[in-house]
Amino acid sequence: MLTVHTSPLHQPGTGDAGGMNVYILELAKRLAAIDIEVEIFTRATSAALPPLVEPAPGVLVRHVEAGPYEGLAKEDMPGQLCAFTHGLMRAWADHGPGHYDLVHSHYWLSGRVGRLAAARWGVPLVHAMHTMAKVKNAALAGGDTPEPAARVIGETQVSQAADLLIANTGKEADELVRHYGADPARVAVVHPGVDLDRFRPGPSGIVAGRAEARARLGLPQNALIPLFAGRIQPLKAPDLVLHAVARLLEERPTLRERIVVPVVGGPSGSGLAEPKGLQNLAAQLGISDVTLFHPPAGQEQLADWYRAASVLVMPSYSESFGMVAIEAQACGTPVIAAEVGGLPVAVCDGVSGVLVPGHDPANYARALRSFADDPARSARMGAAAARHARTFSWDRAAASTAAAYAAALRDRWGVHASYVAARI
């Protein structure tokens, strides 16, 4: 597996680390559990990093030296792809021909390296876009920076070169065909999963689990708590959450006494230009007193934030899937989400949450008001949300990915790959 610009070992919610980091590591672990060994190559971001890390049996993370360790923006990463490819080939040379059966690249930067590696080794290339420039540019947040033409070109080249493209949803598969001319026969849909052992309601149930999580986090027991969790950048629209809350408090001023709005995450991408921009916006809107800013949380504490919330608010402008939505629902928390990308798959509208068309704060305020006016609604929808989330597991995602690998190998080698298909 190749993930050039961000390591699966990085803390999600910081820098460029997010759902893709979780996806890669969890998928690799589950693939290793079904006897598919995985080596993950990522760029070293510190001289102190060991060359090899084994986060789980059968999974190795290799840190490749390519460019300066720190301070290299994702936009400058293309200039280091040759150095990264050189490091990858050096590792391959230590093993010799035939060591790697398949290349699975993640994000377009990795896809460019993957094209060269797969061709050099004579193995299939499987690629996952995770996000696409043309899709993001068609739904930019106000003031956000468009993805560059170089990315569009790179994504098009990878789409044409890959033996198989993995899409998170049917909609993403359609976008690959429509925007990049991908062959529909070479696109497989694999829904991401969720760690159902970590992200689950409290052992005493949703209501008791919520009370226990709030006690651990120091949150008021009877408050309405709409949570934003994710990277602080225009794409994720955390500002829309604050605007919606401000509007709700204009309509329900007495609600100020019993509302807390946690924002859990750190600046990322174009959000780094104004790292304090969201705090300043809260002050301008007059809601600093009810807004709680918290740095990115580890997975265990993040599960507590989900459990403690009345509802997760996810008003993104673009989401290939929306892993945060599934994690929250697995903890028994309903979701208010934008009706974009893969979120209509991740959230069952009217059952496990509420899908909102467009990005008008008034519509999100209206959705929040339904939870404010009916406090029991959160637990009712939360039970349905937990059931819905259980249909997404990493074991299922790994099995589907293994089947996709087998198909790519069969297409490349024909009957000579039958032994691989039998094993996976």
Side-chain angles (χ1 to χ4, degrees), residues 79-133:
Q80 302 301 329
L81 293 185
C82 287
F84 188 93
T85 304
H86 175 69
L88 174 66
M89 292 302 171
R90 287 183 61 186
W92 169 73
D94 289 340
H95 295 299
H99 181 72
Y100 299 113
D101 298 299
L102 179 141
V103 175
H104 187 171
S105 52
H106 298 267
Y107 195 67
W108 76 280
L109 293 168
S110 302
R112 289 185 60 185
V113 177
R115 287 176 62 207
L116 299 174
R120 177 69 179 85
W121 302 339
V123 301
L125 171 64
V126 174
H127 181 72
M129 286 288 190
H130 292 281
T131 62
M132 290 176 273

Side-chain angles (χ1 to χ4, degrees), residues 196-211:
L196 296 170
D197 293 325
R198 173 176 287 128
F199 297 104
R200 63 188 190 281
S204 304
I206 291 174
V207 175
R210 179 170 298 155

Side-chain angles (χ1 to χ4, degrees), residues 102-361:
L102 179 141
V103 175
H104 187 171
S105 52
H106 298 267
Y107 195 67
W108 76 280
L109 293 168
S110 302
R112 289 185 60 185
V113 177
R115 287 176 62 207
L116 299 174
R120 177 69 179 85
W121 302 339
V123 301
L125 171 64
V126 174
H127 181 72
M129 286 288 190
H130 292 281
T131 62
M132 290 176 273
K134 288 186 177 181
V135 175
K136 290 179 71 174
N137 286 347
L140 278 181
D144 205 358
T145 305
E147 295 296 318
R151 177 177 175 181
V152 175
I153 295 169
E155 289 177 342
T156 303
Q157 292 171 336
V158 173
S159 296
Q160 299 303 314
D163 293 83
L164 189 72
L165 296 165
I166 291 184
N168 288 328
T169 64
K171 181 175 182 179
E172 185 182 350
D174 292 341
E175 289 168 340
L176 283 165
V177 173
R178 184 169 71 255
H179 293 306
Y180 295 95
D183 180 355
R186 294 190 297 108
V187 181
V189 176
V190 178
H191 294 323
V194 63
D195 185 343
L196 296 170
D197 293 325
R198 173 176 287 128
F199 297 104
R200 63 188 190 281
S204 304
I206 291 174
V207 175
R210 179 170 298 155
E212 292 162 359
R214 290 184 176 191
R216 286 190 291 269
L217 294 170
L219 298 171
Q221 289 295 334
N222 297 319
L224 172 68
I225 302 183
L227 168 70
F228 174 88
R231 287 173 286 159
I232 309 301
Q233 59 180 148
L235 176 73
K236 302 294 184 180
D239 59 309
L240 199 155
V241 178
L242 300 190
H243 279 288
V245 169
R247 184 177 290 260
L248 178 63
L249 291 179
E250 287 178 6
E251 300 169 356
R252 299 277 199 282
T254 58
L255 189 59
R256 186 180 291 272
E257 300 172 3
R258 62 176 189 91
I259 188 171
V260 177
V261 187
V263 176
V264 179
S268 173
S270 53
L272 290 168
E274 293 185 74
K276 295 294 183 181
L278 208 59
Q279 288 92 327
N280 294 338
L281 177 61
Q284 293 167 15
L285 294 172
I287 60 169
S288 294
D289 57 321
V290 301
T291 309
L292 175 63
F293 290 95
H294 192 281
Q299 296 285 281
E300 291 297 337
Q301 190 184 49
L302 181 59
D304 254 358
W305 281 107
Y306 290 143
R307 294 185 194 106
S310 307
V311 62
L312 175 82
V313 188
M314 196 171 182
S316 306
Y317 284 87
S318 178
E319 287 286 350
S320 60
F321 183 66
M323 196 173 296
V324 168
I326 293 294
E327 290 174 348
Q329 290 172 96
C331 291
T333 299
V335 177
I336 297 172
E339 195 175 20
V340 300
L343 285 171
V345 175
V347 179
C348 187
D349 189 26
V351 177
S352 69
V354 179
L355 292 173
V356 181
H359 294 84
D360 185 343

